Amino acid sequence: MRRLAARGAAGDAREVAAPGADIWDCARGWSPSSSRLTDLCALWQPGVFLPSADGSRASAGVGKSRPNEAEKLSTVWKAHIERHKASGARGLGSGEQGLVLRMARQQAPPWVHIALILFLLSLGGAIEIPMDPSIQNELTQPPTITKQSVKDHIVDPRDNILIECEAKGNPAPSFHWTRNSRFFNIAKDPRVSMRRRSGTLVIDFRSGGRPEEYEGEYQCFARNKFGTALSNRIRLQVSKSPLWPKENLDPVVVQEGAPLTLQCNPPPGLPSPVIFWMSSSMEPITQDKRVSQGHNGDLYFSNVMLQDMQTDYSCNARFHFTHTIQQKNPFTLKVLTNNPYNDSSLRNHPDIYSARGVAERTPSFMYPQGTSSSQMVLRGMDLLLECIASGVPTPDIAWYKKGGDLPSNKAKFENFNKALRITNVSEEDSGEYFCLASNKMGSIRHTISVRVKAAPYWLDEPKNLILAPGEDGRLVCRANGNPKPTVQWMVNGEPLQSAPPNPNREVAGDTIIFRDTQISSRAVYQCNTSNEHGYLLANAFVSVLDVPPRMLSARNQLIRVILYNRTRLDCPFFGSPIPTLRWFKNGQGSNLDGGNYHVYENGSLEIKMIRKEDQGIYTCVATNILGKAENQVRLEVKDPTRIYRMPEDQVAKRGTTVQLECRVKHDPSLKLTVSWLKDDEPLYIGNRMKKEDDSLTIFGVAERDQGSYTCMASTELDQDLAKAYLTVLGRPDRPRDLELTDLAERSVRLTWIPGDDNNSPITDYVVQFEEDQFQPGVWHDHSRFPGSVNSAVLHLSPYVNYQFRVIAVNEVGSSHPSLPSERYRTSGAPPESNPSDVKGEGTRKNNMEITWTPMNATSAFGPNLRYIVKWRRRETRETWNNVTVWGSRYVVGQTPVYVPYEIRVQAENDFGKGPEPDTIIGYSGEDLPSAPRRFRVRQPNLETINLEWDHPEHPNGILIGYILRYVPFNGTKLGKQMVENFSPNQTKFSVQRADPVSRYRFSLSARTQVGSGEAATEESPAPPNEAYTNNQADIATQGWFIGLMCAIALLVLILLIVCFIKRSRGGKYPVREKKDVPLGPEDPKEEDGSFDYSDEDNKPLQGSQTSLDGTIKQQESDDSLVDYGEGGEGQFNEDGSFIGQYTVKKDKEETEGNESSEATSPVNAIYSLA
């Protein structure tokens, strides 16, 4: 049999996998998977090239006349059967079916007719019209229904009625309707209209009218000159929501513990309303296994309790289209009871019925009644089985299926196990189901026999058939159901029996066979299959086309492919009869088929492995008896994209940096894109990541970064993938579910569930505790355990309200603490220890502060922790002083300076005292020490000065060292002060002199914690021949001496001026009488009572000489600064300056009285100039 089809599909060439073991069908344009089917597909093409003996092809015409066809078929058939036997094929392909049909037409023995009917049942195939709009618009086509309303069409009475019917065809179809199987004249009803270019009916009620008048069964007909298509029979119904009938309901009187059914009986609606129960105040009724609503809407009480009187019960119906809720008058319950008191405390009683005096009874069924019932359900629907039982206590419901298990993938329990729902029922779900109601008084069973029926459903729905002139085909309409549905064929909406006879058409049950079809065979066939539960209606048209070849893809396409891949070049085409297709390369005359090439029947050329030499221009040519068409494809071969350095699996700690490499080689003419996936999803490159051409860097790795990373290098033609897994070693997750067990007075067992170790094994668990008395909210380490345990016994202290938490530790770090455990308080006891770090130290010179480290919560052992502090002076027989303290310090006042004390501090709580404390030695406050004793300065030579001293007589504390300050001086000139610190045990020190002339002043003091005490001062001895020079230097630098010299200079200046005036007048001037003191006779200048000036006036004063540093020093002066002090006890301040008072001793004056004082008297100095 010849098959026509659109070969190929639009689009570029694509790479395909190697063909598998699929069964390829020539009729659908697929390539056969073996040479035996290839031959038959080529053989039975319409207008075909039948294979000749030498393998060449000879053209055969299309039409009724096919001379010598039987002989050719007989020969080919025999050869093919031999190949078929050799290949071990299990059955015949579509080509074999067509071959048998041809042989049957030539020879007609009885067995051939039987074989023919059997094979015709599986015949099929048709031309597929391409979706190309240009072809769709050009080809003629009978009508096809594309949209229609549902079979049971319920509409809202408040809206206009819309009945949909849309169809396509070429030419466009026209529409008409029937109502209740009679022609519906739309033109006569002003309310009814039909949409433009559509068969949809619109019934408008804006100007009045009742929707109920239009209820009925509607059917749409779509017609053009090639046939008529029918819609389903659409049953139009108007939604109804009738009002609830008014009724007065008396109170329902019932004995406590008895069963009760409150019937709803809603008004019939279309569709059925949704039922729910509420109180008259619109509060929902609480439902449980005792009180629940059945599928029929009734409210069932398995047993009534006194508490059920607290509300009333109203049935409500909600209607879908009107969105209204109607409420039935409420029921009021009056419960008779032996215990009129509704004690709310009994509601949670384990046996509330006996507590209220309600008699227990065995279960009985309220719905359905009796011990058995039956139910029918249609295939594909939901099966709902329901069992509601009464009894005291409330029974439990269980479901079973006889002879098998419940279908677990479709069965579910509803309404507190009172209902079993099985979805999408099939024939396998039929059988016997039973529900078992049981309580402690007994059990009862109800059996439900389920029968599954079926409305018709398709096994093989007829499909549109498009043939070429002279082609054969078939329409198959197969359906199943229970009971078995009947099949009725129609053509263009008329029963096939009343249609004009067609010699090319033959009906064989559910199959219509077409032979040698012609243009006049075009029509639309309807298959209607029905039984008592419903019907199915399908339209399928038969269209006969005569079309020359045409190409469906764009012309002169450029196809780029990757080297060494398997590639397919598509050449989609269309024609009727189906054209044959050939491929050529670079204009060469030989057809491409075989070797590295394979041509599929749909026109695609497969190149099994692309090589560089396969690059070029390929031409495909499609030919049938009406003409030919061709197209060209230019093929370019590109190098593949390859990742030559792939990312590697890595293990990294949280917070470190990870780099994943991905280096790629690709064809330079293609644009390369490198992207990354994480866990097969696109990776978001955040601010912690850096993507480069050949790597991905992750900074500060976190736990969420763990996973598989895929480098995807792609071009527009191919891609390469490489995957690596990153394992992040993170801190463990917190432990959870802490539990305290084995509670004892001094121990408890703590158990926890470990958290995820985040790829790094847990090495330790740290158990911490917190108590709420001394340091609430502060956590302390209690103990540490290996990471292999999750339970430990903790040793506890008395009178601590413990709360525990656990921290997991691995090599990366510590987890967050677990949630705290429950609290556990231990009993109290007297303290077993005393405070530590007891000290006694003075903060002032007349006190002593006693301090200690307070005891923590785990050593207090009881409430009201306090401390008994005792003290007394050491090595005395004094009685102990004591005081009770609640803090951690106590100050003893009015103490002598730095006296040792014996100290004791004892802990005490409300359960008793702690052990006897140790005695600690403390000291009262310190003071400044006295001066070091016997401070001595010796100078064994001109280079070294040795110092020695003894400890102070009164240290007044613990000596912490000595401070020595010393400064060099030369006369009144002071050098830089030097400071030395000595340990308390050092009593000697040597000073190296900087020069042999300078002397040193020393000040030495002892130090305690209070500070430096009184200083001892000394000077180094004077070097030989230094006393006179020192006296001269001392006078020359005195202020009074400098002032005297200035006065003398001024007086001399005045005298010079006077002399100059006198001399300018001539002669000498007598001056003797002007002097205050007469001159001595030894004056060499006095001869005649006149005064002469000479250069000697500028000479230095007598009794003085110039020092080495240019200062005038007084001669024969051995005064020392020590002589000006008070008894030689002069001191230096911290910068080395002398701080003693300058006083002149009488014996010093007497010593200096033997020397001339004229040089130091201002008056005598004046006379000495005369």
Side-chain angles (χ1 to χ4, degrees):
M1 181 183 72
R2 296 178 297 171
R3 311 274 176 102
L4 293 175
R7 303 303 174 95
D12 294 340
R14 56 189 179 275
E15 299 174 15
V16 295
D22 298 329
I23 303 301
W24 297 80
D25 190 346
C26 305
R28 298 184 181 180
W30 294 342
S31 172
S33 57
S34 66
S35 60
R36 64 182 181 86
L37 294 184
T38 304
D39 293 342
L40 287 178
C41 289
L43 173 65
W44 296 113
Q45 296 292 339
V48 249
F49 304 92
L50 294 174
S52 59
D54 59 356
S56 61
R57 297 175 183 260
S59 176
V62 176
K64 296 181 180 179
S65 176
R66 296 178 181 173
N68 301 321
E69 189 177 49
E71 290 79 359
K72 293 180 182 179
L73 290 177
S74 178
T75 304
V76 174
W77 172 255
K78 292 178 181 179
H80 181 71
I81 289 298
E82 294 301 324
R83 291 198 303 270
H84 177 70
K85 290 180 179 179
S87 63
R90 297 182 180 179
L92 297 177
S94 57
E96 288 93 328
Q97 297 166 4
L99 180 59
V100 173
L101 176 60
R102 290 297 184 188
M103 293 179 64
R105 295 179 61 186
Q106 296 297 327
Q107 303 172 7
W111 65 269
V112 172
H113 288 285
I114 297 174
L116 172 64
I117 296 300
L118 294 176
F119 279 102
L120 285 177
L121 294 177
S122 59
L123 287 178
I127 294 177
E128 296 181 5
I129 304 297
M131 299 306 296
D132 190 334
S134 62
I135 297 179
Q136 292 274 351
N137 295 334
E138 290 178 11
L139 299 180
T140 60
Q141 182 175 319
T144 301
I145 299 293
T146 58
K147 188 175 183 181
Q148 56 184 317
S149 295
V150 295
K151 294 178 181 179
D152 291 318
H153 189 33
I154 302 175
V155 296
D156 192 336
R158 299 171 299 177
D159 299 333
N160 293 335
I161 295 176
L162 198 71
I163 309 177
E164 291 184 313
C165 178
E166 295 183 7
K168 67 178 181 178
N170 192 13
S174 61
F175 298 88
H176 73 270
W177 287 83
T178 62
R179 178 186 176 195
N180 298 328
S181 301
R182 304 183 71 177
F183 177 71
F184 183 43
N185 194 342
I186 298 173
K188 290 184 177 181
D189 194 332
R191 297 191 185 94
V192 183
S193 62
M194 190 182 299
R195 286 183 176 175
R196 188 168 178 265
R197 295 182 181 177
S198 170
T200 299
L201 286 182
V202 179
I203 307 176
D204 192 345
F205 297 102
R206 288 179 295 183
S207 57
R210 296 178 64 251
E212 290 79 3
E213 297 176 356
Y214 291 88
E215 289 185 327
E217 189 177 75
Y218 291 79
Q219 191 169 24
C220 174
F221 292 76
R223 174 178 299 168
N224 66 12
K225 66 179 182 179
F226 302 115
T228 302
L230 279 63
S231 73
N232 290 323
R233 296 186 297 274
I234 301 169
R235 184 184 178 191
L236 179 66
Q237 295 176 285
V238 178
S239 174
K240 297 175 178 62
S241 54
L243 297 177
W244 224 303
K246 295 293 183 181
E247 56 182 340
N248 294 323
L249 300 177
D250 296 330
V252 179
V253 181
V254 63
Q255 183 69 36
E256 186 174 17
L260 175 64
T261 302
L262 298 181
Q263 295 183 347
C264 181
N265 296 326
L270 188 68
S272 300
V274 176
I275 305 300
F276 56 95
W277 286 81
M278 302 185 76
S279 66
S280 57
S281 59
M282 302 305 291
E283 293 290 333
I285 300 300
T286 302
Q287 299 188 28
D288 51 26
K289 75 173 185 175
R290 185 179 68 87
V291 180
S292 63
Q293 175 186 320
H295 184 62
N296 59 2
D298 294 345
L299 188 64
Y300 294 91
F301 294 77
S302 294
N303 51 75
V304 176
M305 301 299 295
L306 185 62
Q307 66 198 41
D308 297 331
M309 291 176 54
Q310 296 178 358
T311 185
D312 55 8
Y313 302 85
S314 176
C315 182
N316 296 263
R318 180 171 63 85
F319 294 91
H320 172 69
F321 282 94
T322 59
H323 300 290
T324 59
I325 296 177
Q326 296 189 28
Q327 189 176 49
K328 186 176 182 178
N329 288 342
F331 292 96
T332 303
L333 297 186
K334 182 178 180 181
V335 180
L336 304 179
T337 179
N338 298 327
N339 187 356
Y341 299 104
N342 187 15
D343 190 353
S344 60
S345 64
L346 296 177
R347 293 187 180 180
N348 297 324
H349 195 279
D351 194 355
I352 186 174
Y353 298 102
S354 62
R356 294 199 52 79
V358 177
E360 297 177 338
R361 54 187 175 81
T362 57
S364 63
F365 283 108
M366 304 174 69
Y367 179 87
Q369 307 225 340
T371 59
S372 64
S373 60
S374 63
Q375 192 168 333
M376 189 274 289
V377 63
L378 292 179
R379 178 182 181 273
M381 307 295 288
D382 286 359
L383 170 64
L384 184 65
L385 305 178
E386 192 171 33
C387 281
I388 301 175
S390 65
V392 178
T394 303
D396 294 316
I397 305 295
W399 290 90
Y400 304 92
K401 183 180 181 182
K402 185 177 180 179
D405 297 329
L406 296 175
S408 58
N409 57 335
K410 299 192 297 181
K412 61 180 180 179
F413 302 104
E414 299 177 354
N415 197 16
F416 309 100
N417 270 26
K418 299 177 185 180
L420 170 65
R421 182 182 296 275
I422 300 177
T423 60
N424 192 21
V425 171
S426 61
E427 288 80 357
E428 293 80 8
D429 297 320
S430 61
E432 289 189 355
Y433 296 79
F434 64 90
C435 57
L436 185 67
S438 60
N439 63 10
K440 66 179 182 179
M441 301 300 295
S443 62
I444 188 173
R445 186 168 75 170
H446 183 93
T447 302
I448 305 174
S449 179
V450 175
R451 294 175 294 114
V452 178
K453 299 291 185 179
Y457 57 92
W458 291 116
L459 297 177
D460 195 351
E461 184 178 2
K463 303 292 190 299
N464 294 332
L465 185 61
I466 302 176
L467 302 172
E471 278 294 312
D472 298 343
R474 63 187 175 92
L475 293 178
V476 179
C477 177
R478 293 178 185 168
N480 199 3
N482 188 4
K484 182 72 175 178
T486 60
V487 175
Q488 179 189 10
W489 284 100
M490 293 182 290
V491 56
N492 297 327
E494 299 292 334
L496 196 61
Q497 296 81 0
S498 60
N502 185 347
N504 303 105
R505 179 180 65 211
E506 180 181 345
V507 179
D510 55 11
T511 303
I512 300 179
I513 303 169
F514 299 93
R515 299 187 182 91
D516 202 13
T517 57
Q518 301 301 316
I519 298 297
S520 60
S521 301
R522 290 180 293 192
V524 180
Y525 290 82
Q526 288 84 34
C527 175
N528 183 64
T529 175
S530 61
N531 64 12
E532 60 188 76
H533 302 297
Y535 74 94
L536 294 173
L537 178 65
N539 292 277
F541 64 73
V542 176
S543 181
V544 181
L545 299 178
D546 202 357
V547 181
R550 61 188 304 172
M551 294 296 172
L552 303 180
S553 61
R555 303 188 66 83
N556 301 320
Q557 295 183 72
L558 170 63
I559 305 299
R560 296 180 298 175
V561 296
I562 297 299
L563 185 66
Y564 304 127
N565 279 6
R566 174 178 295 209
T567 303
R568 192 175 68 191
L569 304 181
D570 288 335
C571 182
F573 62 94
F574 177 72
S576 179
I578 296 178
T580 57
L581 189 80
R582 295 181 178 181
W583 283 90
F584 305 94
K585 179 184 177 184
N586 296 331
Q588 296 177 3
S590 59
N591 181 33
L592 297 178
D593 198 2
N596 198 35
Y597 300 101
H598 179 72
V599 179
Y600 291 103
E601 188 178 347
N602 65 357
S604 296
L605 173 65
E606 181 186 69
I607 305 176
K608 298 177 182 179
M609 187 176 69
I610 288 290
R611 299 161 297 184
K612 285 290 186 180
E613 54 267 26
D614 292 324
Q615 186 167 283
I617 297 177
Y618 291 78
T619 303
C620 59
V621 180
T623 307
N624 70 5
I625 60 174
L626 301 178
K628 73 174 183 177
E630 66 178 43
N631 199 359
Q632 288 186 342
V633 177
R634 183 160 62 91
L635 182 68
E636 290 184 357
V637 180
K638 303 294 182 182
D639 291 329
T641 301
R642 292 292 178 263
I643 298 175
Y644 66 91
R645 179 166 294 180
M646 303 179 181
E648 298 179 350
D649 294 343
Q650 296 193 37
V651 177
K653 289 186 177 181
R654 189 173 68 91
T656 59
T657 298
V658 170
Q659 186 177 61
L660 300 172
E661 280 192 310
C662 182
R663 299 191 179 183
V664 185
K665 183 168 61 176
H666 71 290
D667 193 294
S669 64
L670 301 177
K671 181 180 179 181
L672 175 68
T673 301
V674 178
S675 58
W676 289 84
L677 306 178
K678 182 180 182 294
D679 298 329
D680 300 327
E681 296 292 335
L683 175 65
Y684 169 72
I685 306 297
N687 54 5
R688 294 188 306 105
M689 297 185 182
K690 182 180 181 182
K691 175 181 170 294
E692 296 177 326
D693 292 339
D694 57 357
S695 66
L696 173 68
T697 305
I698 306 175
F699 302 96
V701 170
E703 285 85 351
R704 63 179 179 272
D705 296 324
Q706 178 169 302
S708 64
Y709 288 80
T710 304
C711 175
M712 184 168 61
S714 58
T715 64
E716 56 264 42
L717 297 183
D718 69 337
Q719 67 177 17
D720 194 15
L721 304 177
K723 182 178 291 189
Y725 196 87
L726 174 61
T727 302
V728 179
L729 304 180
R731 297 186 303 173
D733 292 344
R734 67 174 69 186
R736 57 185 176 86
D737 297 343
L738 272 63
E739 182 181 7
L740 299 178
T741 57
D742 301 343
L743 306 177
E745 287 190 2
R746 296 294 179 266
S747 67
V748 68
R749 176 173 289 277
L750 177 64
T751 305
W752 62 89
I753 296 178
D756 192 344
D757 62 6
N758 290 324
N759 306 310
S760 180
I762 297 174
T763 57
D764 296 280
Y765 286 105
V766 178
V767 177
Q768 296 183 328
F769 75 93
E770 179 260 353
E771 51 82 27
D772 57 0
Q773 182 178 359
F774 289 87
Q775 292 180 298
V778 178
W779 291 88
H780 308 274
D781 288 349
H782 183 281
S783 49
R784 198 177 189 98
F785 299 99
S788 58
V789 304
N790 69 327
S791 180
V793 175
L794 308 179
H795 298 285
L796 310 179
S797 298
Y799 200 72
V800 179
N801 193 17
Y802 282 101
Q803 190 177 32
F804 299 100
R805 71 183 186 185
V806 181
I807 299 174
V809 181
N810 61 12
E811 290 185 359
V812 181
S814 300
S815 71
H816 293 292
S818 68
L819 297 178
S821 69
E822 58 183 342
R823 287 195 177 273
Y824 176 63
R825 180 184 289 279
T826 55
S827 58
E832 294 181 359
S833 61
N834 290 308
S836 59
D837 296 331
V838 179
K839 297 177 182 177
E841 297 175 344
T843 58
R844 295 182 180 179
K845 64 181 180 180
N846 59 351
N847 76 358
M848 179 180 65
E849 183 180 58
I850 303 174
T851 60
W852 57 91
T853 301
M855 300 169 67
N856 56 29
T858 58
S859 57
F861 285 22
N864 197 18
L865 178 65
R866 51 201 180 270
Y867 304 96
I868 300 174
V869 181
K870 298 180 180 180
W871 73 95
R872 69 180 181 184
R873 291 185 62 173
R874 188 181 182 185
E875 299 177 354
T876 63
R877 295 293 181 177
E878 294 181 3
T879 59
W880 289 91
N881 301 287
N882 66 81
V883 65
T884 301
V885 179
W886 277 261
S888 59
R889 62 186 292 270
Y890 180 74
V891 178
V892 180
Q894 304 301 319
T895 61
V897 175
Y898 199 64
V899 173
Y901 282 85
E902 294 178 342
I903 302 171
R904 295 178 180 177
V905 180
Q906 185 179 26
E908 182 182 25
N909 62 23
D910 287 353
F911 290 94
K913 295 182 179 179
E916 200 62 31
D918 296 333
T919 300
I920 305 300
I921 304 300
Y923 287 84
S924 58
E926 300 182 7
D927 200 358
L928 298 176
S930 60
R933 294 181 297 165
R934 292 189 289 276
F935 183 31
R936 302 175 295 281
V937 178
R938 293 186 175 88
Q939 183 172 320
N941 52 53
L942 294 178
E943 289 80 20
T944 304
I945 300 175
N946 294 330
L947 307 179
E948 294 182 6
W949 64 89
D950 294 337
H951 296 300
E953 183 178 0
H954 302 290
N956 293 333
I958 299 177
L959 292 179
I960 61 174
Y962 294 92
I963 296 179
L964 174 66
R965 294 184 176 90
Y966 60 97
V967 58
F969 68 92
N970 187 352
T972 58
K973 183 178 180 181
L974 300 177
K976 181 180 179 182
Q977 177 179 276
M978 308 295 289
V979 179
E980 297 286 348
N981 288 284
F982 307 123
S983 67
N985 297 325
Q986 186 172 347
T987 57
K988 294 181 180 179
F989 184 67
S990 295
V991 178
Q992 298 298 320
R993 295 170 60 99
D995 58 80
V997 178
S998 299
R999 298 176 60 192
Y1000 289 84
R1001 296 190 185 100
F1002 299 95
S1003 174
L1004 178 67
S1005 59
R1007 286 192 302 126
T1008 63
Q1009 294 289 351
V1010 179
S1012 299
E1014 183 181 359
T1017 60
E1018 287 292 340
E1019 289 186 0
S1020 61
N1025 300 324
E1026 188 180 344
Y1028 179 78
T1029 304
N1030 287 342
N1031 289 336
Q1032 294 296 324
D1034 289 342
I1035 295 176
T1037 58
Q1038 296 299 317
W1040 63 268
F1041 180 76
I1042 295 172
L1044 177 61
M1045 291 299 102
C1046 292
I1048 294 174
L1050 180 61
L1051 183 58
V1052 170
L1053 179 60
I1054 295 173
L1055 290 178
L1056 288 175
I1057 295 172
V1058 172
C1059 290
F1060 180 76
I1061 295 173
K1062 289 290 188 178
R1063 189 178 292 277
S1064 64
R1065 294 178 181 178
K1068 297 182 180 179
Y1069 300 91
V1071 294
R1072 185 180 301 273
E1073 64 276 8
K1074 296 181 181 179
K1075 294 184 180 179
D1076 294 333
V1077 181
L1079 298 173
E1082 67 278 10
D1083 188 356
K1085 298 297 182 180
E1086 182 181 348
E1087 293 179 357
D1088 55 1
S1090 62
F1091 183 82
D1092 291 333
Y1093 294 97
S1094 68
D1095 294 337
E1096 293 179 355
D1097 295 338
N1098 294 327
K1099 292 180 180 180
L1101 297 174
Q1102 287 182 338
S1104 65
Q1105 64 181 9
T1106 304
S1107 66
L1108 294 175
D1109 56 357
T1111 61
I1112 303 299
K1113 299 183 180 179
Q1114 185 177 352
Q1115 296 178 358
E1116 298 178 355
S1117 176
D1118 58 354
D1119 288 350
S1120 173
L1121 287 177
V1122 179
D1123 298 333
Y1124 291 92
E1126 295 179 355
E1129 297 296 326
Q1131 299 182 11
F1132 295 90
N1133 61 14
E1134 292 184 357
D1135 59 1
S1137 60
F1138 187 67
I1139 62 174
Q1141 290 182 333
Y1142 288 87
T1143 57
V1144 181
K1145 292 184 179 181
K1146 181 176 287 188
D1147 57 343
K1148 190 71 175 179
E1149 293 175 352
E1150 292 175 355
T1151 304
E1152 293 178 350
N1154 297 326
E1155 297 177 0
S1156 175
S1157 62
E1158 290 183 357
T1160 59
S1161 171
V1163 176
N1164 291 338
I1166 294 174
Y1167 281 108
S1168 66
L1169 295 174

